[in-house]
Amino acid sequence: MTVDPHILQSPAVTNLRDLGGRATADGGRVATGVAYRSAELSDASVLTDAALADLGIRTVVDLRTDAERDPRPDQVPAGAQLLVLDALADLPGGAAAQLPTLLAGGDVHVLADLDLAGEMLTVYRRLVVGEAARTAYAAFARTVVDPERTPVLFHCTAGKDRTGWAATILLLAAGVDEAGALEEFLAVNPAVRATFAPLLQQLAAMGGDPELLRPLLEVRAEYLQAALSTLHEEFGSFQGYLTDGLGLSTIEVETLRRTLRTDG
């Protein structure tokens, strides 16, 4: 079994990963210890977790919506500041938002009438062109280029979709090709599936089909491809996305690249 070198173990937070170490297209490497990704930091043990403390996090970026944050607010490690950037603030609630109500009401068979995979494709396109998303990811990129605010730990709820697109932005900015970015994108599936296993068991116990829910609870290559295709259609290139989509200056783009990579 191949060991994923990007996985970091913490008893306080799941799906914790260092983006560093991946090869860039021109022979460099993504710098380690600059940008970390994870699931939400809602457990009180975050405050005392030695593994997180050792990372020296200076900024925690929370990409969740108000509805997600309010009942499960971040516990911010000592020495870090919290930056809330709701990447989907302007996306109307779909089936994903209705899921807790559906399960609570026991009407699990309605899942058969929902196109969850289609909804996920819509979300990923929105992450590229949505006004709230562009504002959030621009602020995120500017946080990463600020030496006073790194290392950065960024997350959403499970650390797969909004976090996955944020990770893709950083990897492509560092010079990783799309194949390498996809590898990182898909690498979270084992952790995410473990997180959602109890939910699928609950659904099965209620008489529902867990397979109907899987599109919502994992990442798929076609999700990222939908985002990348939208990027190229709307902005022409990744460089165009950074400058025209996110509004970053040429200097900011170059600083982001230098911050995220090492030639060693």
Side-chain angles (χ1 to χ4, degrees), residues 40-54:
E40 63 184 18
L41 307 182
S42 59
D43 197 289
S45 61
V46 166
L47 301 178
T48 56
D49 180 32
L52 279 177
D54 287 345

Side-chain angles (χ1 to χ4, degrees), residues 15-238:
N15 204 8
L16 179 62
R17 302 174 60 83
D18 188 338
L19 287 190
R22 292 195 179 274
T24 61
D26 60 356
R29 291 217 167 256
V30 180
T32 58
V34 175
Y36 302 96
R37 60 181 293 182
S38 74
E40 63 184 18
L41 307 182
S42 59
D43 197 289
S45 61
V46 166
L47 301 178
T48 56
D49 180 32
L52 279 177
D54 287 345
L55 300 181
I57 302 298
R58 290 183 178 175
T59 308
V60 171
V61 176
D62 188 344
L63 299 166
R64 296 178 298 169
T65 63
D66 290 341
E68 293 168 301
R69 290 194 310 270
D70 289 346
R72 300 176 64 84
D74 267 351
Q75 306 298 312
V76 181
Q81 292 185 331
L82 177 63
L83 176 61
V84 173
L85 299 174
D86 185 346
L88 292 177
D90 55 1
L91 182 67
Q98 300 166 21
L99 184 60
T101 302
L102 292 175
L103 294 179
D107 190 12
V108 296
H109 299 291
V110 73
L111 290 173
D113 299 324
L114 301 177
D115 181 11
L116 293 181
E119 289 210 15
M120 293 303 296
L121 294 175
T122 297
V123 167
Y124 274 85
R125 296 184 185 105
R126 190 73 177 188
L127 290 177
V128 177
V129 298
E131 183 176 348
R134 289 162 62 184
T135 298
Y137 289 121
F140 170 63
R142 291 187 170 109
T143 298
V144 175
V145 302
D146 184 346
E148 298 298 317
R149 306 193 75 176
T150 53
V152 172
L153 173 60
F154 58 100
H155 73 89
C156 47
T157 296
K160 68 183 185 75
D161 301 313
R162 288 158 291 186
T163 299
W165 182 242
T168 298
I169 292 172
L170 297 188
L171 292 176
L172 295 180
V176 176
D177 60 21
E178 290 187 0
L182 177 61
E183 185 178 82
E184 169 62 27
F185 179 77
L186 295 175
V188 305
N189 263 331
V192 169
R193 287 168 179 153
T195 295
F196 287 124
L199 178 59
L200 293 178
Q201 293 169 359
Q202 175 191 353
L203 179 62
M206 296 170 65
D209 181 359
E211 292 304 314
L212 296 175
L213 201 52
R214 288 192 188 278
L216 189 66
L217 305 182
E218 63 187 13
V219 290
R220 299 178 175 182
E222 56 263 34
Y223 297 169
L224 184 61
Q225 189 54 57
L228 292 172
S229 295
T230 301
L231 179 153
H232 289 292
E233 291 166 4
E234 295 293 326
F235 304 107
S237 65
F238 181 66

